[in-house]
Amino acid sequence: MADSELGAFLRTRREALSPLDIGRPESSRRRVPGLRRGEVAELAQISVEYYTELERGRGRRPSAQVVAALARALRLDRDERDYLFGLAGAAPPDHGPNAHVDAAMLDLLGKLAEVPAQLFTDLYDLVAQNDLAVALLGEPLSAGGPEDSQIVRWFLDLAARARYPVDVWPDVSLSYVADLRATSGRHPDDVRVTRFIRQLHRRSKEFAQLWEAAPVRVRRAGVHRVLHPGLGLIELGCEGMLSEDGRHRLVWYSPRVGGEAAQQLKLLSVVGTTEFAGDE
């Protein structure tokens, strides 16, 4: 019974959405209301075959990561998202990459089609991004594991720095640590944040040294310099916006007036993720 109810709920919410709601043009050739199954599956990063089985009330029970991705894809509010978790037989998490994301931030992300944009948790788990961000950065969405955070990868995996010029590494490291201190100040009693900091402090000498210097600064704006494998160095302005509770951050990367980055982004929108095929 629960599986059929889950499928029916997914279908009604899919049919209630317009392509415009997710930042895509409306087509006069659509013969059914709402989004196509393939569009929801693409947004949730699951196969269309699996999504179709879910709507039909069949297939394996979705994981918490899949339920959270479907809730974001379908722009569910908190009550709807909690209901979806219940239908899937799971408790809705309050924090982390599977936590509720305000629909307004997802709507804004969907409307930022002309610039790369990403949505992070307060601990830099990547939970959503647009196509240009994938083409520019090639970063995978978080699977909910402790090693998924962009901060953890930056300090513990040198491969995470490969797309950035060496001369920016110290500034990026400092900005991550300073922003994490600001996060810990907003949520001083959050065991999840405290544990995250303690583990990084133990595992990274660079992080520990910077943390002891006690920098504090929210990452709101700056310059993002990326080494793209096909287009070379791309320099973009970076802007960030925190959600009201500080649990999520929307980041977008815009070309500066008079620079060549605008043309590079136009080319990137055509090339897409082709340049990353060899990295997989």
Side-chain angles (χ1 to χ4, degrees):
M1 180 68 174
D3 288 345
S4 62
E5 289 180 355
L6 185 147
F9 184 66
L10 291 174
R11 184 176 63 257
T12 58
R13 290 303 179 269
R14 173 176 62 80
E15 292 175 349
L17 278 179
S18 161
L20 297 175
D21 294 326
I22 62 170
R24 299 190 177 186
E26 190 132 37
S27 171
S28 59
R29 298 191 302 177
R30 288 179 182 263
R31 298 178 181 178
V32 294
L35 300 180
R36 298 186 177 96
R37 290 191 180 99
E39 290 171 323
V40 176
E42 180 186 350
L43 289 170
Q45 293 205 331
I46 60 177
S47 72
V48 65
E49 292 80 11
Y50 179 44
Y51 179 75
T52 300
E53 290 295 293
L54 288 177
E55 276 205 4
R56 291 174 176 170
R58 300 196 293 266
R60 67 185 186 278
R61 188 64 63 89
S63 66
Q65 180 189 355
V66 169
V67 176
L70 288 170
R72 291 192 294 267
L74 295 169
R75 302 298 192 264
L76 302 187
D77 63 26
R78 182 178 291 274
D79 293 336
E80 292 170 330
R81 168 257 193 184
D82 290 354
Y83 178 68
L84 183 63
F85 265 94
L87 291 178
D94 293 327
H95 307 303
N98 296 328
H100 175 69
V101 179
D102 188 82
M105 296 197 83
L106 290 170
D107 288 343
L108 183 53
L109 174 63
K111 291 177 172 61
L112 293 172
E114 296 184 0
V115 296
Q118 298 176 306
L119 183 64
F120 296 95
T121 67
D122 51 355
L123 298 183
Y124 282 89
D125 294 293
L126 179 59
V127 297
Q129 58 186 333
N130 63 13
D131 293 341
L132 262 183
V134 176
L136 175 68
L137 301 167
E139 294 172 345
L141 295 182
S142 171
E147 305 298 313
D148 284 343
S149 165
Q150 299 288 305
I151 300 180
V152 172
R153 292 176 58 225
W154 179 262
F155 283 102
L156 300 183
D157 182 6
L158 281 179
R161 306 189 181 197
R163 300 201 190 280
Y164 300 91
V166 175
D167 62 329
V168 308
W169 290 6
D171 289 339
V172 174
S173 296
L174 180 61
S175 67
Y176 271 139
V177 173
D179 187 81
L180 186 56
R181 265 204 178 270
T183 297
S184 67
R186 287 194 301 272
H187 309 291
D189 300 320
D190 191 327
V191 176
R192 178 184 57 100
V193 176
T194 303
R195 184 186 302 117
F196 181 87
I197 294 169
R198 184 168 60 246
Q199 291 176 348
L200 257 180
H201 194 281
R202 185 182 71 251
R203 299 173 67 188
S204 169
K205 181 178 180 181
E206 179 190 12
F207 178 88
Q209 291 175 337
L210 290 170
W211 186 261
E212 295 306 321
V216 182
R217 185 179 298 275
V218 176
R219 297 183 83 194
R220 293 189 178 92
V223 177
H224 204 72
R225 299 174 65 212
V226 181
L227 292 172
H228 186 271
L231 301 178
L233 180 65
I234 303 177
E235 186 168 314
L236 300 163
C238 175
E239 302 287 337
M241 180 181 70
L242 290 174
S243 61
E244 186 175 357
D245 63 2
R247 294 294 187 183
H248 290 93
R249 180 196 315 268
L250 180 64
V251 179
W252 61 97
Y253 311 95
S254 303
R256 303 206 164 203
V257 176
E260 65 174 332
Q263 292 301 319
Q264 289 173 306
L265 286 185
K266 285 183 179 180
L267 182 56
L268 194 60
S269 67
V270 176
V271 174
T273 59
T274 303
E275 297 294 340
F276 293 104
D279 297 340
E280 297 177 355

